[in-house]
Amino acid sequence: MIWMTAMILAVISLLAVYSSISSLAFKREGGSTLHFLMKHGIMLVTGGVIMYYASMLKYSMYSRLSQLAISIVAGLLLLTLLLGSNINDASRWITIPIINQSFQTSDLAKVVLIVYLARVIGKQQDKEWTFRDVLVNLMVPVGVICGLILPANFSTAALLFLLCMIIMFIGEVPIKWLLAIVGLAVGSFVLLVMANEALELDVLPRVETWTNRVSNFGGDDRNANYQVEHAKIAIASGGLLPNGPGSGNSRNWLPHPYSDMIYAFIIEEYGSIIGGLGLLLLYLILLFRAVKIAGRCDKKFGSLVAVGLSLMLVLQAMINMAVAVDLVPVTGQPLPLVSMGGTSVWFTCLAIGIVLSVSRSIDDIQIIKKDAKPRTAVA
């Protein structure tokens, strides 16, 4: 079911990106959309390969790998802040030297941090949590990773922090310690913003952007809410029933119809029932199957990994959809496995592959138990 859901999302992505990319193709490739279609198709195919091999690896190996990867990811995030590509005052990308492919380090950091948290909580199973355990083993890695993501991407840092709190809650970390973590995080953030503004530091260069997005949310200024206003026009143009692939006119005036606002563009072409609710249903199926896998897994690490990674994708999808229909401020979160993107597709497929690895391990154990024959007593 998860494989089928991922394949359907990939097909929808190919159709929607090919239909919506004409404006970008006209600016960069002289009107040819084939270049972008082939590039996006290659990313999806290679993502499928990553998903397959990730699913074949025993999921307990990810627990060991996360120990090493968490330090590497922290270093990559720091390197991105210092030397990364700067777009709209946000350093989010670094370039892989050999293949010359840029990637957003926060995408890798999300997967690694979730797996690492699942490992730490799994190791603490049947043991009482102390505040020192929570502070050192949970708060430090979460604070470091989210803190390094924060200056360039507040929405990703906030979403990842929320997700970590949910994983800790599911992992039975005492609520009093969770409230203490939230209090420390909120207090630290407020003090950091105040110090950044009072001392005119450049630690948080996008504070003004965050403030404008929140203050303009729900307002009547159409220039300030240009993206969302045009997304709502595209959704209204779609109606309830499909208009057909290639029928969307919003590709000519909707900002980023192939990435951030692809949900509105899909509704315009496929209608609110199939394009809107249908796409939402696919993500809910993904979450539902992951929760069933977690319920069947006898290891706490496997259960938390399955739930955490699926929640990461589904919450990101929900936020992208909520932005398009003007329920939350603009965040810049792509639609997982649907929006045109580079290596973000790979890390999404990696996350799904790890969930599939948990499922495969459960099936292997059940097959072994089923094939095992009881010994007959010999008189």
Side-chain angles (χ1 to χ4, degrees):
M1 186 66 72
I2 292 177
W3 271 108
M4 289 300 298
T5 302
M7 290 174 64
I8 293 172
L9 288 172
V11 171
I12 293 173
S13 177
L14 277 176
L15 294 174
V17 168
Y18 183 60
S19 180
S20 62
I21 205 65
S22 57
S23 60
L24 182 62
F26 180 77
K27 295 176 182 177
R28 297 187 182 180
E29 298 295 328
S32 174
T33 57
L34 186 61
H35 167 77
F36 292 97
L37 177 65
M38 293 297 296
K39 182 178 179 180
H40 186 55
I42 290 173
M43 299 303 291
L44 288 172
V45 171
T46 52
V49 174
I50 292 172
M51 192 188 307
Y52 171 76
Y53 282 105
S55 69
M56 297 301 294
L57 184 64
K58 191 175 181 180
Y59 78 88
S60 59
M61 290 295 296
Y62 294 107
S63 175
R64 303 171 190 172
L65 291 173
S66 66
Q67 286 183 292
L68 175 64
I70 194 73
S71 300
I72 296 175
V73 161
L76 287 175
L77 288 171
L78 181 60
L79 182 64
T80 304
L81 281 178
L82 298 177
L83 303 175
S85 302
N86 193 294
I87 300 176
N88 295 329
D89 296 324
S91 297
R92 302 178 184 177
W93 293 267
I94 59 176
T95 303
I96 304 173
I98 299 177
I99 62 176
N100 197 30
Q101 172 68 47
S102 62
F103 80 99
Q104 199 166 344
T105 48
S106 59
D107 291 330
L108 174 61
K110 290 187 292 185
V111 177
V112 171
L113 181 59
I114 290 171
V115 176
Y116 181 79
L117 273 187
R119 170 188 170 82
V120 173
I121 296 174
K123 292 289 184 181
Q124 194 72 14
Q125 188 175 5
D126 300 328
K127 297 179 182 178
E128 185 178 354
W129 285 96
T130 65
F131 183 69
R132 184 182 181 280
D133 294 331
V134 174
L135 185 64
V136 175
N137 299 331
L138 298 179
M139 185 60 186
V140 169
V142 171
V144 169
I145 299 300
C146 292
L148 290 172
I149 296 174
L150 177 63
N153 198 334
F154 172 79
S155 61
T156 298
L159 177 61
L160 182 57
F161 180 79
L162 172 63
L163 185 59
C164 291
M165 293 299 103
I166 295 175
I167 294 173
M168 292 180 198
F169 177 77
I170 297 174
E172 299 179 338
V173 176
I175 295 180
K176 60 181 179 179
W177 301 140
L178 294 182
L179 293 176
I181 291 176
V182 172
L184 284 173
V186 173
S188 300
F189 176 71
V190 171
L191 289 175
L192 184 60
V193 172
M194 293 174 60
N196 185 78
E197 296 300 306
L199 302 176
E200 297 183 356
L201 302 175
D202 197 28
V203 178
L204 301 176
R206 291 174 59 82
V207 170
E208 186 176 352
T209 302
W210 306 338
T211 304
N212 290 337
R213 285 180 176 179
V214 173
S215 60
N216 292 328
F217 173 66
D220 297 328
D221 188 354
R222 293 193 173 186
N223 292 326
N225 299 294
Y226 183 83
Q227 281 183 299
V228 176
E229 290 295 325
H230 284 75
K232 290 192 289 186
I233 293 173
I235 292 172
S237 302
L240 293 176
L241 301 178
N243 294 317
S247 61
N249 294 319
S250 63
R251 66 170 70 90
N252 299 317
W253 39 263
L254 179 63
H256 308 293
Y258 43 83
S259 56
D260 293 353
M261 293 297 169
I262 197 169
Y263 184 63
F265 183 80
I266 289 174
I267 293 178
E268 183 186 15
E269 291 199 338
Y270 297 94
S272 296
I273 296 178
I274 296 178
L277 294 178
L279 197 57
L280 175 62
L281 179 62
L282 288 173
Y283 287 109
L284 292 178
I285 290 173
L286 176 63
L287 179 61
F288 174 73
R289 297 301 302 181
V291 170
K292 288 199 68 175
I293 291 170
R296 293 166 54 201
C297 185
D298 57 349
K299 299 292 186 181
K300 196 167 189 177
F301 169 72
S303 298
L304 290 176
V305 163
V307 172
L309 292 177
S310 60
L311 265 177
M312 177 189 75
L313 300 178
V314 174
L315 284 177
Q316 183 177 324
M318 297 290 185
I319 290 176
N320 178 279
M321 297 174 184
V323 169
V325 297
D326 200 18
L327 288 178
V328 298
V330 175
T331 61
Q333 294 292 324
L335 197 57
L337 215 59
V338 176
S339 294
M340 187 184 78
T343 52
S344 62
V345 174
W346 291 350
F347 296 124
T348 299
C349 291
L350 174 62
I352 298 176
I354 296 174
V355 176
L356 289 169
S357 174
V358 178
S359 176
R360 187 180 65 83
S361 298
I362 296 171
D363 292 337
D364 290 345
I365 293 174
Q366 290 181 345
I367 290 173
I368 293 173
K369 289 181 178 179
K370 185 177 180 180
D371 291 343
K373 296 180 180 180
R375 296 180 180 180
T376 57
V378 179

